[in-house]
Amino acid sequence: MAAAPFIEAAFGRPSTHTPVWFMRQAGRSLPEYRALRGNGSILDAIKQPDLAAELTLQPVRRYGVDAAVLFSDIVVPAHAVGFGIDVAPGTGPMCTQPLRTAADLARLRPFDAEADAPYVAETVRQLAGELPAEVPLLAFAGAPFTVASYLIEGRPSKTYVNTKRMMHTDPKLWNAVMERLVQHAVESISSQLRNGARAFQLFDSWAGALSAADYQSLVQPHSTAVFSALRAAFPDVPGIHFGVGCDHLLEHMHAAGPAVLGLDWRTPIAQARRRMGDGLVVQGNLDPALVLAGTDTALAGTRAVLADNANPNGSKHPGHVFNLGHGVQPEADPDVLAAVVRLVHEATAA
Ligand code: CP3
């Protein structure tokens, strides 16, 4: 398999240019996505391999990004085992009956990727056959905490009251839920990797809602279990760990064992390396709001991120995967994102 800039950078090795991809690069910001996607639940689109593969490829073609990210969602395993969760357009994941008791946990049975969600494996196989060698397919799953927060709250939440209540009043049930979700994440990512994905990201998007102490005792061991299992089974596959508003947790998320630490826009790259070592490989971290502020502002922000990644001698640090600090907003102008990709490629060309 030819060297891909994404894989080289993810292991901190020099590459021909700084690789770039965008979280949520597939989605409503693209007119070709809106034309093809239709109205139903995103979970129904994910069940159609031809459609899901095409939606994955749209941003690769348009932007020339250095990675494709599987068109799927973090709630797919819970949905596929019949827990009773769907994604409401414009709102997010919703459960018919949230997870509050041990009896509810019984509805969240272990996940068997090829039997419960054969359509995902089929989509991955199609993509692995179509993508050029220098554009790897990224597998992903939701981290145990972020998926648990949706299952327990039953809907998107700002306060996570029910989740935190379970963490603090019934740690036995909490840890059992987390162990089940470790199995889901490991099984989901393993299956994507077996079928042709070449790197993965574990999304702990909402872990920033936790104190460092709670994260360390009640979440970190479970995220560590995911990275340990995947590193043992796929030692040559780099993993990324990402969350939003997690500056106070970065050392702990790094300790969970990813090859690459995702940063949102709040944490300067140079500061992360001062804290966790100059060898730290990072992903990020242009503020997605700057993409909405027009091309000039977005490109100035892009230059600032590249400068933040520079070595003391001004050369680029090899351990950088360029991305936004969170997902592309539906209102984003694809032409602005295309200009960002061109600038990253041109400014960092070896
Ligand atoms: O391009 C990509 O990043 C790949 C595909 C992808 C989707 N969801 C497709 C999607 C990925 C990696 C995800 C992960 C995901 N899903 C996360 C973690 C990433 C993050 O944003 O922090 C989370 C929290 C979810 C849960 C979820 N799914 C939410 C909150 C929403 C938005 C609801 C809405 O309609 O506004 C979704 C739906 C979703 N997942 C869309 C897409 C492209 C939106 C549109 C659609 O229904 O077509």
Side-chain angles (χ1 to χ4, degrees), residues 21-29 33-34 37-43 45-46 55-56 59 68-75 86-93 138-143 146-147 149-150 156 201-206 242-244 325-328 330:
W21 69 285
F22 301 120
M23 292 182 272
R24 294 269 175 97
Q25 63 191 15
R28 285 173 299 207
S29 58
Y33 177 92
R34 296 194 298 270
R37 159 83 171 78
N39 284 325
S41 164
I42 188 173
L43 298 180
I46 291 166
L55 293 172
T56 303
V69 55
L70 180 69
F71 183 77
S72 185
D73 197 85
I74 61 169
V75 305
D86 203 343
V87 179
T91 304
L138 297 192
F140 73 86
T146 289
V147 178
S149 76
Y150 283 120
Q201 178 156 321
L202 190 69
F203 281 95
D204 215 351
S205 302
W206 314 136
F242 169 77
V244 183
H326 194 193
V328 173

XYZ file of all heavy atoms in Angstrom, residues 21-29 33-34 37-43 45-46 55-56 59 68-75 86-93 138-143 146-147 149-150 156 201-206 242-244 325-328 330, ligand 1:
530
model
N -8.351 16.966 6.395
C -9.729 16.508 6.181
C -10.584 17.305 7.157
O -10.051 18.018 8.015
C -9.895 14.988 6.388
C -9.748 14.500 7.804
C -8.588 14.361 8.512
C -10.800 14.079 8.699
N -8.846 13.892 9.777
C -10.190 13.707 9.926
C -12.194 13.987 8.585
C -10.932 13.248 11.026
C -12.935 13.526 9.683
C -12.295 13.160 10.882
N -11.889 17.226 7.016
C -12.780 17.993 7.883
C -13.780 17.055 8.549
O -14.423 16.245 7.871
C -13.577 19.030 7.085
C -12.727 20.025 6.350
C -12.812 20.137 4.972
C -11.847 20.858 7.028
C -12.048 21.062 4.284
C -11.065 21.786 6.350
C -11.161 21.884 4.978
N -13.924 17.192 9.862
C -15.031 16.500 10.509
C -16.330 17.032 9.904
O -16.446 18.233 9.667
C -14.978 16.735 12.026
C -13.771 16.052 12.657
S -13.684 16.255 14.447
C -12.776 17.798 14.546
N -17.281 16.138 9.665
C -18.532 16.479 8.976
C -18.285 17.081 7.591
O -19.002 17.992 7.168
C -19.381 17.458 9.807
C -19.905 16.864 11.090
C -21.276 16.237 10.869
N -21.736 15.547 12.075
C -22.559 16.095 12.970
N -23.029 17.303 12.783
N -22.926 15.410 14.016
N -17.271 16.561 6.892
C -17.033 17.084 5.537
C -18.155 16.643 4.599
O -18.453 17.330 3.614
C -15.652 16.643 5.016
C -15.450 15.144 4.837
C -13.970 14.801 4.578
O -13.085 15.601 4.793
N -13.713 13.583 4.106
N -18.761 15.491 4.879
C -19.978 15.090 4.171
C -21.149 15.701 4.935
O -21.162 15.674 6.151
C -20.106 13.573 4.164
N -22.118 16.254 4.235
C -23.255 16.777 4.973
C -23.892 17.965 4.296
O -23.586 18.295 3.153
N -24.757 18.609 5.067
C -25.674 19.592 4.468
C -24.984 20.815 3.902
O -25.603 21.587 3.179
C -26.737 19.996 5.494
C -27.776 18.908 5.675
C -28.736 19.224 6.799
N -28.020 19.339 8.058
C -28.555 19.110 9.243
N -29.822 18.781 9.344
N -27.842 19.226 10.336
N -23.697 21.023 4.206
C -22.993 22.151 3.575
C -22.797 21.924 2.075
O -22.562 22.882 1.344
C -21.630 22.351 4.245
O -20.867 21.170 4.134
N -24.790 16.862 -1.615
C -25.307 16.035 -0.512
C -26.812 16.246 -0.374
O -27.592 15.288 -0.326
C -24.586 16.412 0.781
C -25.085 15.680 2.031
C -24.489 14.498 2.436
C -26.123 16.187 2.802
C -24.919 13.832 3.579
C -26.563 15.533 3.944
C -25.949 14.360 4.326
O -26.385 13.704 5.449
N -27.218 17.521 -0.340
C -28.647 17.813 -0.163
C -29.457 17.227 -1.318
O -30.577 16.747 -1.125
C -28.867 19.324 -0.056
C -28.206 19.926 1.182
C -28.707 21.348 1.454
N -28.393 22.273 0.387
C -27.283 23.010 0.311
N -26.362 22.905 1.258
N -27.084 23.836 -0.695
N -29.363 13.124 -0.650
C -29.628 12.533 0.651
C -31.115 12.245 0.897
O -31.453 11.283 1.573
C -29.046 13.500 1.687
C -29.554 13.430 3.082
C -28.904 12.362 3.908
N -29.353 12.578 5.279
C -30.560 12.216 5.719
N -31.396 11.589 4.935
N -30.930 12.470 6.962
N -32.028 13.093 0.341
C -33.447 12.890 0.606
C -33.799 13.336 2.010
O -32.994 13.974 2.684
N -35.025 12.986 2.461
C -35.527 13.553 3.707
C -35.503 12.628 4.908
O -35.478 13.082 6.025
C -36.967 14.043 3.517
C -37.010 15.337 2.749
O -36.110 16.169 2.910
N -37.986 15.496 1.887
N -35.507 11.316 4.699
C -35.705 10.393 5.826
C -34.617 10.507 6.881
O -33.791 11.424 6.848
N -34.615 9.583 7.817
C -33.592 9.544 8.861
C -32.241 9.255 8.229
O -32.115 8.465 7.286
C -33.920 8.446 9.867
O -32.771 8.151 10.648
N -31.204 9.873 8.782
C -29.851 9.584 8.313
C -29.543 8.094 8.478
O -28.771 7.526 7.712
C -28.815 10.455 9.052
C -27.435 10.285 8.401
C -28.761 10.147 10.531
C -26.386 11.210 8.922
N -30.177 7.452 9.464
C -29.892 6.027 9.684
C -30.381 5.191 8.505
O -29.806 4.148 8.197
C -30.512 5.556 11.000
C -29.945 6.290 12.237
C -30.615 5.767 13.513
C -28.433 6.134 12.332
N -30.324 6.315 5.350
C -29.322 6.549 4.290
C -28.091 5.671 4.523
O -27.509 5.120 3.582
C -28.931 8.032 4.271
N -27.719 5.524 5.800
C -26.532 4.729 6.142
C -26.740 3.254 5.775
O -25.794 2.530 5.497
C -26.217 4.903 7.654
C -25.719 6.331 7.908
C -25.236 3.872 8.167
C -25.698 6.749 9.367
N -21.994 9.352 -0.742
C -21.959 10.517 0.156
C -20.578 10.660 0.811
O -20.139 11.772 1.105
C -23.060 10.397 1.217
C -24.499 10.484 0.674
C -25.512 10.153 1.772
C -24.806 11.869 0.100
N -19.890 9.530 1.028
C -18.523 9.575 1.569
C -17.556 10.182 0.565
O -16.636 10.925 0.932
C -18.047 8.143 1.914
O -18.963 7.551 2.837
C -16.649 8.144 2.505
N -17.226 14.740 -0.739
C -16.253 15.760 -0.298
C -14.821 15.445 -0.740
O -14.020 16.368 -0.895
C -16.382 15.735 1.234
C -16.981 14.413 1.551
C -17.853 14.039 0.393
N -10.893 10.124 3.558
C -12.348 9.994 3.465
C -12.832 9.535 4.830
O -12.170 8.732 5.477
C -12.717 8.959 2.402
N -13.961 10.071 5.294
C -14.512 9.580 6.561
C -15.843 8.913 6.258
O -16.707 9.479 5.585
C -14.606 10.697 7.625
C -15.399 11.886 7.137
C -15.195 10.142 8.921
N -15.941 7.689 6.711
C -17.120 6.871 6.420
C -18.404 7.632 6.725
O -18.543 8.221 7.801
C -17.057 5.597 7.263
C -18.230 4.638 7.069
C -18.160 4.010 5.675
C -18.226 3.561 8.152
N -19.351 7.615 5.805
C -20.655 8.210 6.063
C -21.446 7.245 6.939
O -21.938 6.203 6.485
C -21.407 8.490 4.764
C -22.713 9.175 5.015
C -22.763 10.518 5.306
C -23.891 8.451 5.014
C -23.969 11.146 5.585
C -25.103 9.065 5.286
C -25.135 10.416 5.572
N -21.523 7.571 8.213
C -22.226 6.741 9.189
C -22.555 7.647 10.362
O -22.557 8.865 10.216
C -21.340 5.562 9.600
O -22.054 4.696 10.454
N -22.828 7.100 11.527
C -23.087 7.947 12.684
C -22.708 7.190 13.954
O -22.688 5.954 13.962
C -24.559 8.372 12.746
C -24.742 9.575 13.675
O -24.560 10.707 13.210
O -25.023 9.352 14.862
N -22.449 7.939 15.029
C -22.026 7.285 16.266
C -23.137 6.470 16.910
O -22.864 5.643 17.769
C -21.448 8.286 17.291
C -22.472 9.340 17.696
C -20.187 8.953 16.766
C -22.031 10.178 18.902
N -24.394 6.684 16.526
C -25.469 5.912 17.162
C -25.791 4.622 16.400
O -26.679 3.873 16.824
C -26.759 6.745 17.354
C -26.456 8.015 18.140
C -27.444 7.063 16.044
N -32.977 6.859 17.323
C -32.984 7.354 15.942
C -32.353 8.748 15.965
O -32.095 9.293 17.034
C -34.420 7.407 15.395
C -34.438 7.350 13.860
O -33.384 7.591 13.227
O -35.513 7.068 13.307
N -32.101 9.302 14.788
C -31.552 10.657 14.698
C -32.624 11.537 14.085
O -33.018 11.345 12.937
C -30.262 10.692 13.852
C -29.741 12.126 13.768
C -29.199 9.771 14.440
N -33.123 12.494 14.860
C -34.153 13.413 14.368
C -33.477 14.543 13.602
O -32.626 15.231 14.168
C -34.950 13.976 15.537
N -33.840 14.733 12.315
C -33.201 15.790 11.525
C -33.309 17.138 12.226
O -34.375 17.520 12.705
C -33.980 15.782 10.204
C -34.562 14.395 10.106
C -34.852 13.993 11.535
N -32.195 17.846 12.321
C -32.180 19.165 12.941
C -32.066 19.135 14.454
O -31.856 20.162 15.080
N -32.224 17.970 15.064
C -32.163 17.870 16.525
C -30.995 17.006 16.965
O -30.128 17.433 17.717
C -33.468 17.285 17.091
O -34.552 18.084 16.642
C -33.440 17.242 18.602
N -30.974 15.755 16.484
C -29.924 14.839 16.893
C -30.513 13.551 17.429
O -31.708 13.287 17.257
N -29.691 12.721 18.091
C -30.148 11.413 18.545
C -31.262 11.497 19.596
O -31.194 12.309 20.517
C -28.883 10.797 19.159
C -27.751 11.506 18.467
C -28.234 12.901 18.266
N -11.218 6.628 6.850
C -11.212 6.670 8.310
C -12.435 5.957 8.854
O -13.560 6.287 8.491
C -11.286 8.096 8.838
C -10.190 9.091 8.556
C -10.385 10.317 9.448
C -8.862 8.463 8.826
N -12.178 5.015 9.748
C -13.245 4.410 10.545
C -13.529 5.328 11.724
O -12.698 6.154 12.084
C -12.786 3.048 11.056
N -14.697 5.198 12.346
C -14.897 5.948 13.586
C -15.969 5.273 14.425
O -16.731 4.427 13.959
C -15.275 7.405 13.319
C -16.672 7.599 12.803
C -17.747 7.722 13.672
C -16.914 7.652 11.447
C -19.042 7.898 13.190
C -18.197 7.838 10.954
C -19.261 7.957 11.825
N -15.978 5.672 15.686
C -17.068 5.293 16.584
C -17.193 6.388 17.622
O -16.277 7.187 17.822
C -16.784 3.949 17.270
N -18.339 6.430 18.291
C -18.492 7.308 19.436
C -17.769 6.699 20.618
O -17.768 5.484 20.812
N -17.124 7.557 21.414
C -16.497 7.072 22.639
C -17.586 6.690 23.638
O -18.700 7.216 23.585
C -15.587 8.141 23.219
N -19.655 9.672 25.316
C -20.550 10.473 24.473
C -21.763 9.660 24.039
O -22.893 10.165 24.021
C -19.755 11.068 23.292
O -18.902 12.090 23.819
C -20.662 11.669 22.229
N -21.567 8.380 23.698
C -22.721 7.548 23.332
C -23.609 7.342 24.558
O -24.844 7.470 24.484
C -22.273 6.197 22.740
C -23.488 5.333 22.416
C -21.435 6.426 21.475
N -24.072 9.305 26.997
C -24.834 10.520 27.311
C -26.110 10.595 26.469
O -27.155 11.000 26.978
C -23.970 11.767 27.133
O -23.792 12.103 25.771
N -26.041 10.175 25.207
C -27.265 10.166 24.383
C -28.244 9.097 24.863
O -29.458 9.332 24.912
C -26.921 9.926 22.911
C -26.368 11.139 22.196
C -25.113 11.123 21.629
C -27.125 12.302 22.086
C -24.598 12.228 20.963
C -26.619 13.419 21.428
C -25.364 13.378 20.868
O -24.870 14.475 20.223
N -30.322 15.147 22.851
C -29.174 16.031 23.093
C -29.402 16.842 24.362
O -30.521 17.247 24.660
C -29.151 16.929 21.853
C -29.838 16.111 20.785
C -30.906 15.346 21.508
N -11.041 7.287 14.218
C -11.209 8.355 15.207
C -12.261 7.937 16.216
O -13.338 7.452 15.841
C -11.613 9.669 14.537
C -11.849 10.796 15.537
C -11.687 12.183 14.944
O -10.795 12.411 14.136
N -12.537 13.105 15.346
N -11.942 8.129 17.491
C -12.903 7.909 18.568
C -13.409 9.287 18.999
O -12.639 10.115 19.488
C -12.219 7.182 19.730
C -13.154 6.675 20.830
C -14.031 5.522 20.322
C -12.351 6.217 22.055
N -14.724 9.543 18.759
C -15.320 10.845 19.046
C -15.833 10.871 20.478
O -16.823 10.195 20.784
C -16.529 11.082 18.140
C -16.197 11.515 16.727
C -16.113 10.592 15.700
C -16.008 12.854 16.420
C -15.853 10.997 14.395
C -15.735 13.260 15.118
C -15.655 12.336 14.094
N -15.177 11.641 21.358
C -15.779 11.881 22.681
C -16.225 13.334 22.739
O -15.798 14.113 23.599
C -14.822 11.523 23.822
C -15.590 10.957 25.009
O -16.846 11.017 24.991
O -14.959 10.448 25.958
N -17.112 13.677 21.798
C -17.460 15.068 21.542
C -17.853 15.829 22.799
O -17.516 16.998 22.937
C -18.598 15.126 20.528
O -18.201 14.480 19.337
N -18.578 15.201 23.715
C -19.146 15.965 24.838
C -18.449 15.704 26.165
O -18.935 16.115 27.216
C -20.653 15.701 24.952
C -21.374 15.776 23.632
C -22.324 14.894 23.185
C -21.228 16.752 22.581
N -22.742 15.255 21.923
C -22.087 16.388 21.528
C -20.438 17.890 22.415
C -22.189 17.122 20.336
C -20.529 18.611 21.228
C -21.401 18.232 20.218
N -10.736 12.635 20.024
C -11.196 14.024 19.868
C -12.384 14.337 20.771
O -13.295 13.524 20.914
C -11.591 14.277 18.401
C -12.310 15.580 18.212
C -11.597 16.766 18.210
C -13.692 15.629 18.101
C -12.251 17.989 18.080
C -14.357 16.843 17.975
C -13.629 18.026 17.965
N -12.372 15.514 21.335
C -13.533 16.039 22.051
C -13.567 17.553 21.939
O -12.563 18.177 21.596
N -14.721 18.143 22.232
C -14.895 19.595 22.146
C -14.829 20.173 23.565
O -15.419 19.608 24.492
C -16.273 19.939 21.530
C -16.416 21.449 21.363
C -16.457 19.231 20.204
N -11.608 22.702 14.273
C -11.654 22.339 15.684
C -12.915 21.576 16.061
O -13.023 21.021 17.157
N -13.915 21.543 15.162
C -15.081 20.665 15.287
C -15.655 20.566 13.886
O -14.991 20.949 12.918
C -16.081 21.205 16.317
C -17.125 20.196 16.727
N -18.261 20.535 17.430
C -17.223 18.858 16.515
C -18.991 19.448 17.646
N -18.389 18.421 17.092
N -16.889 20.050 13.747
C -17.396 19.742 12.424
C -17.744 20.954 11.572
O -17.970 22.052 12.085
N -17.796 20.727 10.265
C -18.266 21.728 9.313
C -19.719 22.068 9.656
O -20.556 21.182 9.850
C -18.212 21.162 7.872
C -18.868 22.122 6.885
C -16.783 20.847 7.465
N -23.504 23.340 8.788
C -24.331 23.221 7.572
C -24.310 24.493 6.716
O -24.456 24.415 5.501
C -25.746 22.967 8.116
C -25.549 22.418 9.488
C -24.268 23.016 10.007
O -18.266 13.732 7.521
C -18.254 13.101 8.623
O -17.754 13.565 9.647
C -18.776 11.695 8.593
C -19.968 11.296 9.102
C -20.446 11.561 10.498
C -21.798 11.864 10.788
N -21.960 11.879 12.133
C -22.840 12.081 9.780
C -24.006 12.881 10.169
C -19.774 11.476 11.712
C -18.312 11.230 11.983
C -20.753 11.662 12.747
C -20.443 11.550 14.175
C -21.384 12.097 15.146
N -22.737 11.970 15.168
C -20.990 12.764 16.311
C -19.565 13.041 16.704
C -19.003 14.150 15.934
C -19.371 15.510 16.406
O -20.015 16.244 15.622
O -19.010 15.855 17.530
C -22.147 13.100 17.027
C -22.213 13.863 18.322
C -23.248 12.566 16.296
C -24.685 12.600 16.644
C -25.448 13.364 15.630
N -25.783 12.871 14.383
C -25.879 14.714 15.695
C -25.713 15.617 16.890
C -26.480 15.022 14.458
C -27.067 16.355 13.993
C -28.507 16.394 13.923
C -28.974 17.369 12.862
O -29.661 16.934 11.929
O -28.615 18.553 12.962
C -26.407 13.864 13.657
C -26.875 13.727 12.262
C -25.803 13.621 11.255
N -24.772 12.734 11.289
C -25.711 14.393 10.048
C -24.581 13.909 9.354
C -24.080 14.318 7.999
C -26.672 15.520 9.661
C -27.538 15.521 8.637
C -28.442 14.519 8.014
O -29.382 14.033 8.694
O -28.283 14.357 6.802
